């Protein structure tokens, strides 16, 4: 005879109504992402910038070449994007006109601006809200139920699309997605390098040489050399990335694979690299890094810049960290980690000690010693 299910305690009155509102928010919050995507595809952040950073809806409609009949619908979209923090309301005009302005978030989505430390994040958003990412997410339940046998399973993205993300095979799924992901990762990873240089200036002090693993087009390396002109800098990345990197008098661009060999230097830097890999691969990468540097007594160290998951950062940053973690679980084999997880990885890779140099928002800067 089947066991009797326990009695369900139904929420009462105010709790019930609040629960329904929370359910709406969780069920419909995809509109935040798709609304953001819509704003980028329409060019709203760039249009507001060209209109002086503040605009009325009629002026925005004109600038975007949207039919005037769509104004009421655009107002509803903008209301949602203001509510979710993408844009901000400005003080009303002289005739009480409703005005919208850029804020810190939407300024990251302005295209075509050549300015120090501006790394437009539109490719990151368009990749993250693409149908390929969403299809992988929709396949999560099936992925959890499937027994893949021994060894690490493929990511849900690879299971759904037949090829991994950030791989030579990704272009076979969709060349446009592959381009967006590469551009998005570069822009995302370069964001905040100015802050790191200001807050952690001594991080590179006294170093004679540095290898930037997965350093892309050398944006980070150029920022470091500008602050520390004496530093000899290698940038290691895959051949398809290095062949597109702009030439530089000081930076030595090296085409290669960090799993096999890393150009020797006094320090090796991994900036938002390890989040793409599972623990076992992180240990392999760090073991190669350890081979490339001298002893701690000779100044050898690994500089790691990664997300450090910590609920004490507050609900907004912590929620973004755990959301990012599940995204990485879905589209790669990697994830975001707390300090205990990082410490375990460093130990398994053969390092003797580490310290957290600085916590910067959701990220932390580590020094790891051989």
């Amino acid at each position: 005879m089947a066991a009797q299910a326990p009695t369900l305690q139904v929420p009462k009155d105010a709790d019930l109504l609040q629960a329904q509102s929370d359910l709406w928010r969780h069920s419909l919050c995809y509109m935040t992402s798709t609304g953001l995507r819509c704003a980028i595809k329409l060019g709203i952040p760039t249009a507001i910038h060209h209109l002086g950073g503040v605009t009325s809806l009629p002026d925005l409609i004109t600038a975007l070449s949207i039919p005037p009949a769509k104004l009421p619908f655009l107002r509803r979209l903008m209301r949602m994007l203001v509510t979710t923090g993408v844009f901000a309301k400005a003080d009303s005009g002289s005739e009480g006109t409703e005005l919208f302005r850029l804020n810190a978030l939407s300024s990251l989505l302005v295209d075509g601006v050549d300015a120090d430390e501006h790394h437009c994040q539109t490719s990151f958003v368009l990749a993250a809200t693409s149908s390929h990412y969403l299809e992988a997410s929709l396949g999560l339940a099936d992925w959890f139920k499937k027994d893949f046998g021994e060894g690490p399973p493929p990511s849900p993205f690879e299971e759904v699309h037949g090829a991994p993300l950030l791989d030579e095979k990704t272009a076979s799924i969709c060349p446009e997605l592959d381009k967006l992901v590469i551009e998005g990762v570069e822009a995302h990873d370069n964001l905040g390098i100015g802050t790191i240089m200001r807050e952690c200036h001594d991080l590179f002090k006294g170093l004679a040489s540095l290898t930037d693993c997965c350093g892309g087009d050398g944006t980070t390396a150029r920022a470091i050399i500008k602050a520390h002109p004496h530093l000899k800098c290698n940038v290691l990345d895959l051949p398809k990335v290095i062949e597109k990197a702009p030439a530089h008098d000081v930076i030595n661009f090296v085409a290669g694979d960090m799993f096999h060999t890393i150009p020797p230097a006094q320090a090796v830097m991994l900036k938002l690299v390890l989040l793409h890999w599972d623990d076992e691969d992180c240990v392999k990468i760090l073991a190669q890094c350890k081979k490339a540097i001298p002893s701690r007594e000779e100044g050898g160290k690994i500089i790691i810049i990664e997300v450090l998951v910590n609920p004490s950062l507050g609900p907004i940053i912590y929620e973004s960290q755990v959301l990012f973690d599940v995204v990485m679980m879905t589209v790669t084999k990697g994830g975001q980690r707390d300090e205990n997880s990082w410490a375990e990885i460093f130990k398994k890779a053969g390092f003797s000690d580490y310290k957290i140099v600085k916590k910067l928002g959701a990220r932390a800067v580590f020094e790891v010693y051989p």
Side-chain angles (χ1 to χ4, degrees), residues 338-357:
D338 60 20
E339 186 174 352
N340 288 337
S341 298
W342 284 120
E344 185 67 19
I345 288 171
F346 300 154
K347 182 179 179 181
K348 286 182 177 179
F351 290 89
S352 63
D353 198 9
Y354 75 93
K355 74 174 180 180
I356 297 174
V357 177

Side-chain angles (χ1 to χ4, degrees), residues 5 30 157 213 231 266-267 278 288 337:
Y30 66 90
F157 182 95
C213 279
L231 197 59
Q266 191 175 7
D278 62 23
Q288 290 295 335
R337 298 172 172 94

